[in-house]
Amino acid sequence: MSTGEILVRTFVYLLAGVIAVPLAKRLGLGSVLGYIIAGAVIGPGLLSLTGDVAAVSHVAEFGIVILLFLIGMEVRPALLWQMKGLIFGLGMAQMLAVSAVITPIAMMLGLSFAVSVTLSLILAMSSTALVMSTLEEKGQRSGTIGRACFGVLLFQDLSIIPLFLIVPLLASNASAAAAEGNPAAWLRGAEALLAVAFVVLAARFAVRPLFRFIAATHSREVFTAAALMLVVGVAALMTVVGLSPALGAFIAGVVLSETEFRQEIETDIDPFRGLLLGLFFITVGAGLDLELLRSQPFSVIAIAAGLMLAKTLAMYAASRAFRFHPIEAISLAVMLAQGGEFIFVFIGFAKQFALLPEQLSRLLPAAVAISMLLSPLLMLLLDRIIRRRTAPPQQAEPDLQFEDRIDVIVAGFGRFGQIAGRLLQANGQRISIMDTSLTQIEILRRFDQRVNFGDATRLDLLRAAGAETAKILIVAIDEREQISNLVETARMSFPHLMILSRAWDRRHAYELLRLGADHVESETYESSLSIGKEALIRLGFRAHRAHRSAALFRMHDRSLFGSSRPASADESGFLQASKAAASTLAQLLAADLEKERSHHGQEEDWGTRGLYGELTADKAAASGGGQT
Amino acid sequence: MQSSADHMISSPVAAPAEPTCLLVVAHPRLDRSVVNARLAKTAGERPEIEIHDLYEAYPDYQIDVAAEQERLLRHNVIGVQFPLFWYSVPALLKEWFDLVWLHRFAYGGNAPRLASKTLFCAASTGGDERSYREGGRNGYSVEEFLRPLERTAALCQMRWAAPHLLHDAPRLRGERLEQAAQGYGRYLENLMRETVI
């Protein structure tokens, strides 16, 4: 392919996405459907603008790898353990149930029992890319349904490993030529285990030093390159040993989820995921065998509909058995009803060993692609129906999250942020900490304090830290300009977020309020006041009086800060305002002091003796009240 | 610290046309309270009542005297609502009286500023009614323990309204609590109706 051709093809793909996705979203169909339709339009069946779809789809499948890597990063090992019931229970139940329905049908079509079982297991798989993208778009990824879907999908991905090993064995059953596949399969199993062990160990021990080294150079694109390299490397290794690259990426992601670089890596890679997944759906659309659809529309659609019906029924039964509410069960069933992308791989594989009749190996991928096209439509339809049936939206249970929901983001965890953060933690608040100092992070790790490496002034990282759901952002970073930047960015992008900010001085405090901070705290104010109070005590003031003086000072100062907010943001406005404030404060404090002094004179009769006469209405008044 | 009273005395505060009430609620753990929180809710439903959550306003006990005096002047009826602690008011409420109800503001001088306003209190106790009697476990009636407040009203030339009392607060739950809250609502209703400016 010449450079010109590559550019033209790239342009066509991008253009198709740019036109189709917004259109589909406007029609309420979701972006996945938009991509698939765009692919069908530019594909060989219609406009034939796509060039070599097979080559492109290899690139595009990498989108799924990145998707699983990112999902892995959000699933901490502890959470994975928590979800074991969903993964191995519900996941296995789904595959077995689907297999139980499809195997007899396949056998009726004349396939051998072993091939039928394998085929049914592969058809039981759903499209991770489609389901997870749709869930994310609907904001349901962390809800009950999202978690259950994810558990099932994860089990399906795990089951790819044994399936890959089984397929050559099936062939060996069929023909003696492949008899030596037996020891090879055994060897491959050992190889696969070694590779997984290698990924886990490398991610655990080699990756952190590497990223620390790169982060110290402060070069963002190298960081992105390294993150990408990591995912590509894992995928390559997995492919070499014959494992699902997506699964390998998922494992690497889980291992890396505990490092401080999680958010930064996630944020850097995320755009690739979005683009490549889009490309993937386009290739699914482009791969639609329109010729076949035209010549045998009935067979293709019958297989697609039959497959989806079988999967829906099986999944509904499985999730009801796992005590899901009927509405949840039907949502889950429809969600997972489409065929998965693994069928395309399997068909290629099966062709090699001549496992399937020619006719079926043409019909099946077309049917699965159709099911992927129909699936978003069905989900949409189901949403409408459920919404109409259950008038008040269900709030069955609190939203369980992939990662725990964050209450407060603490940006900057140095001398300032630490104290506030520790107070919040001590009171059971979940905080997400961001800092850019590697030495600081290293020290904190020794105290088992999880800190994410990342510059809070970057919008994407702020979002990754949980700014969309957190209630409060505490701005505790060092640099004056950076503080202003962060407050401004956060205010514009997250209107719901309460922003409490550290201020350099009074002028900075006014600036921050103007930029949208909800509360500002001059960074040295309280400690300075405290030391002044200490001095008063050491000069012989009674502790309570010194304390009260400091409190009065703070009270006057606070109210002056509010009332003498400068009209204009420029220098002169500020100077005027602060001069006026300073002189008023001096007057107020002097007046208080004056009153203190006059009390020493004891001139004033503040006792109640003089009042007795006034209170004639009540003769008993002589017994109490006031400072008797 | 009898400081800022004089600033306030010079500034005239317009009397409202309809009687209004300042209800100072003093409970250090209002978040855990059942009875006092429920009562405060009932009171808060009445538009003429300003609820002043004292422990929320001054967690560090550093009371803003000027602001408090101005608040007192805005209303015709002053109420204090609290759980009885050691036969008396919670510490911050006592501090509030000590710092805010100053000479020549609340009492003494030519024209004490709170004169002719109404003072009432709504107290809850942890004992049952029988224990708050002469000869009972607590020795005296609650009215006896509330004498300091009654005398405060007298010294400030205020009208003292009969206190609203709720006994046995730890066991006051469910339906009985709802009835008690309704009773409080009627008490406040009557109090405001009887108040003449």
Side-chain angles (χ1 to χ4, degrees):
Chain A
M1 232 191 284
S2 69
T3 316
E5 203 189 333
I6 291 178
L7 286 178
V8 170
R9 298 283 182 228
T10 311
F11 179 74
V12 166
Y13 279 102
L14 290 173
L15 183 69
V18 166
I19 294 175
V21 172
L23 265 178
K25 284 199 121 172
R26 184 65 59 84
L27 294 173
L29 299 178
S31 58
V32 172
L33 209 54
Y35 281 120
I36 296 181
I37 294 171
V41 171
I42 63 170
L46 283 174
L47 299 180
S48 219
L49 294 171
T50 46
D52 183 2
V53 177
V56 175
S57 72
H58 283 308
V59 178
E61 269 159 28
F62 194 62
I64 304 172
V65 174
I66 295 185
L67 175 71
L68 269 146
F69 178 74
L70 289 175
I71 292 174
M73 291 205 103
E74 286 178 31
V75 182
R76 310 228 166 102
L79 196 89
L80 208 57
W81 182 245
Q82 222 179 38
M83 285 175 64
K84 60 187 182 299
L86 283 176
I87 299 168
F88 292 101
L90 188 63
M92 194 181 293
Q94 187 263 356
M95 289 197 86
L96 292 180
V98 174
S99 177
V101 179
I102 294 181
T103 307
I105 301 175
M107 287 178 74
M108 275 191 281
L109 291 173
L111 298 177
S112 75
F113 176 71
V115 173
S116 300
V117 170
T118 312
L119 181 64
S120 68
L121 288 176
I122 286 163
L123 286 175
M125 293 189 189
S126 313
S127 169
T128 307
L130 193 147
V131 176
M132 292 314 281
S133 307
T134 311
L135 283 170
E136 192 157 331
E137 205 163 280
K138 290 204 250 174
Q140 294 177 344
R141 210 182 66 178
S142 45
T144 317
I145 294 175
R147 276 164 73 102
C149 278
F150 178 68
V152 172
L153 290 168
L154 193 61
F155 182 79
Q156 294 177 352
D157 270 329
L158 284 170
S159 61
I160 290 178
I161 308 172
L163 280 174
F164 254 123
L165 299 178
I166 286 171
V167 172
L169 290 183
L170 291 176
S172 72
N173 270 351
S175 66
E180 45 210 86
N182 250 333
W186 174 84
L187 215 76
R188 278 177 82 180
E191 243 174 39
L193 277 180
L194 267 177
V196 170
F198 175 75
V199 168
V200 170
L201 290 177
R204 183 139 219 134
F205 299 108
V207 170
R208 268 191 60 221
L210 172 71
F211 278 100
R212 206 168 327 138
F213 173 72
I214 294 167
T217 64
H218 295 286
S219 136
R220 199 194 287 177
E221 63 283 350
V222 174
F223 196 94
T224 308
L228 212 52
M229 178 190 81
L230 183 79
V231 184
V232 173
V234 170
L237 178 68
M238 290 295 137
T239 318
V240 167
V241 299
L243 283 188
S244 148
L247 188 72
F250 175 77
I251 295 171
V254 173
V255 178
L256 286 178
S257 66
E258 296 286 346
T259 70
E260 66 269 39
F261 299 106
R262 181 176 69 98
Q263 277 177 9
E264 179 100 18
I265 296 177
E266 242 176 33
T267 315
D268 281 347
I269 293 190
D270 199 57
F272 294 99
R273 178 208 58 156
L275 279 177
L276 288 175
L277 274 186
L279 193 58
F280 168 76
F281 292 123
I282 290 184
T283 59
V284 169
L288 259 181
D289 195 342
L290 292 176
E291 186 56 41
L292 190 70
L293 208 56
R294 226 169 279 151
S295 57
Q296 295 179 291
F298 180 73
S299 318
V300 175
I301 290 174
I303 293 179
L307 174 69
M308 293 183 83
L309 189 66
K311 291 186 76 169
T312 307
L313 290 177
M315 183 63 202
Y316 182 78
S319 37
R320 286 295 285 149
F322 275 77
R323 307 249 169 84
F324 278 88
H325 189 269
I327 290 179
E328 286 170 351
I330 188 77
S331 304
L332 271 171
V334 169
M335 210 77 186
L336 296 168
Q338 78 295 120
E341 44 284 348
F342 187 61
I343 189 78
F344 305 124
V345 184
F346 172 72
I347 293 293
F349 220 61
K351 265 185 193 156
Q352 262 178 44
F353 298 100
L355 288 179
L356 294 176
E358 168 66 21
Q359 176 71 352
L360 205 56
S361 61
R362 273 193 76 193
L363 280 175
L364 274 181
V368 166
I370 289 289
S371 77
M372 284 165 114
L373 186 67
L374 291 178
S375 180
L377 287 171
L378 279 181
M379 292 179 200
L380 213 67
L381 199 66
L382 184 72
D383 266 4
R384 292 269 158 86
I385 294 170
I386 289 180
R387 212 169 294 156
R388 195 166 305 159
R389 281 281 170 83
T390 55
Q394 287 198 313
Q395 290 182 327
E397 53 200 278
D399 211 23
L400 292 163
Q401 292 280 317
F402 269 122
E403 49 176 330
D404 330 36
R405 193 174 275 266
I406 291 298
D407 300 305
V408 181
I409 299 172
V410 181
F413 210 61
R415 295 177 300 131
F416 193 93
Q418 259 182 49
I419 295 168
R422 275 161 48 200
L423 176 67
L424 288 167
Q425 276 178 325
N427 283 280
Q429 301 303 301
R430 282 152 304 178
I431 67 175
S432 163
I433 304 167
M434 308 173 75
D435 205 294
T436 46
S437 157
L438 287 167
T439 38
Q440 183 72 13
I441 291 175
E442 196 48 44
I443 293 168
L444 289 166
R445 274 186 91 85
R446 266 181 241 148
F447 292 94
D448 283 332
Q449 177 76 31
R450 287 182 57 120
V451 181
N452 293 306
F453 170 78
D455 178 358
T457 56
R458 270 179 61 185
L459 185 59
D460 46 0
L461 283 175
L462 204 55
R463 186 170 286 130
E468 256 150 14
T469 49
K471 300 182 197 92
I472 291 178
L473 165 69
I474 293 182
V475 180
I477 49 180
D478 258 325
E479 294 223 22
R480 191 184 164 132
E481 295 299 311
Q482 298 279 57
I483 295 175
S484 303
N485 278 346
L486 176 50
V487 168
E488 194 175 15
T489 319
R491 177 42 74 233
M492 286 205 294
S493 311
F494 309 106
H496 74 280
L497 206 55
M498 226 176 301
I499 303 175
L500 316 183
S501 178
R502 159 190 189 177
W504 190 260
D505 56 12
R506 190 167 289 250
R507 182 192 318 214
H508 192 210
Y510 283 128
E511 184 191 330
L512 293 173
L513 287 175
R514 208 180 62 249
L515 291 174
D518 294 288
H519 177 84
V520 287
E521 202 68 58
S522 289
E523 54 184 27
T524 54
Y525 191 89
E526 285 299 327
S527 43
S528 178
L529 201 58
S530 195
I531 222 165
K533 182 179 86 181
E534 188 61 34
L536 284 179
I537 293 171
R538 282 162 198 258
L539 285 169
F541 281 56
R542 298 269 304 159
H544 181 260
R545 191 182 153 200
H547 186 72
R548 183 81 190 141
S549 292
L552 266 179
F553 186 96
R554 184 191 295 112
M555 213 181 278
H556 286 317
D557 206 33
R558 279 263 158 95
S559 73
L560 277 172
F561 177 78
S563 62
S564 59
R565 210 166 154 166
S568 60
D570 65 15
E571 192 77 1
S572 65
F574 175 77
L575 275 179
Q576 250 170 3
S578 54
K579 257 187 205 156
S583 69
T584 318
L585 184 62
Q587 279 167 18
L588 283 174
L589 289 170
D592 283 345
L593 198 61
E594 192 53 38
K595 254 179 259 128
E596 279 303 313
R597 288 223 182 85
S598 73
H599 262 283
H600 291 295
Q602 306 289 329
E603 309 297 333
E604 198 179 13
D605 181 9
W606 42 266
T608 51
R609 254 142 128 355
L611 296 177
Y612 298 161
E614 298 169 21
L615 300 172
T616 44
D618 188 350
K619 290 210 174 74
S623 61
Q627 300 175 0
T628 34
Chain B
M1 295 306 131
Q2 315 187 0
S3 52
S4 321
D6 305 54
H7 300 304
M8 290 320 305
I9 290 171
S10 55
S11 68
V13 176
E18 288 291 312
T20 62
C21 169
L22 170 67
L23 181 62
V24 177
V25 177
H27 192 308
R29 289 301 304 272
L30 204 57
D31 53 337
R32 278 208 316 212
S33 142
V34 176
V35 173
N36 271 282
R38 182 67 190 82
L39 294 189
K41 182 166 167 277
T42 299
E45 282 158 6
R46 308 185 65 84
E48 76 277 18
I49 296 183
E50 177 189 346
I51 304 269
H52 184 32
D53 183 348
L54 209 55
Y55 276 91
E56 187 66 18
Y58 302 112
D60 58 356
Y61 281 57
Q62 301 307 314
I63 292 168
D64 183 343
V65 176
E68 290 304 310
Q69 291 184 338
E70 192 243 359
R71 201 189 304 273
L72 282 167
L73 293 179
R74 276 207 302 266
H75 299 280
N76 322 89
V77 178
I78 314 296
V80 289
Q81 181 194 313
F82 55 90
L84 204 63
F85 283 3
W86 283 113
Y87 306 111
S88 182
V89 298
L92 181 55
L93 184 56
K94 181 62 164 63
E95 177 82 347
W96 179 74
F97 276 111
D98 291 353
L99 290 188
V100 180
W101 293 50
L102 297 176
H103 182 227
R104 287 197 297 182
F105 169 76
Y107 70 97
N110 294 330
R113 310 288 310 273
L114 302 181
S116 83
K117 292 181 191 291
T118 301
L119 180 66
F120 75 92
C121 78
S124 63
T125 75
D128 58 350
E129 191 172 359
R130 278 193 323 188
S131 69
Y132 280 101
R133 276 183 199 166
E134 196 111 7
R137 281 175 177 274
N138 290 307
Y140 302 95
S141 70
V142 180
E143 281 82 356
E144 293 300 323
F145 293 116
L146 295 178
R147 292 283 183 231
L149 287 176
E150 190 185 329
R151 295 317 308 157
T152 300
L155 189 71
C156 299
Q157 294 165 275
M158 298 170 81
R159 191 175 78 85
W160 173 245
H164 178 269
L165 301 179
L166 276 183
H167 287 288
D168 218 6
R171 273 181 287 278
L172 200 56
R173 296 292 183 268
E175 188 51 34
R176 287 174 54 223
L177 178 60
E178 285 313 304
Q179 281 170 9
Q182 282 169 23
Y184 190 43
R186 284 192 299 276
Y187 170 86
L188 293 171
E189 170 97 49
N190 286 333
L191 195 70
M192 296 311 290
R193 200 183 309 128
E194 286 164 12
T195 304
V196 198
I197 302 174

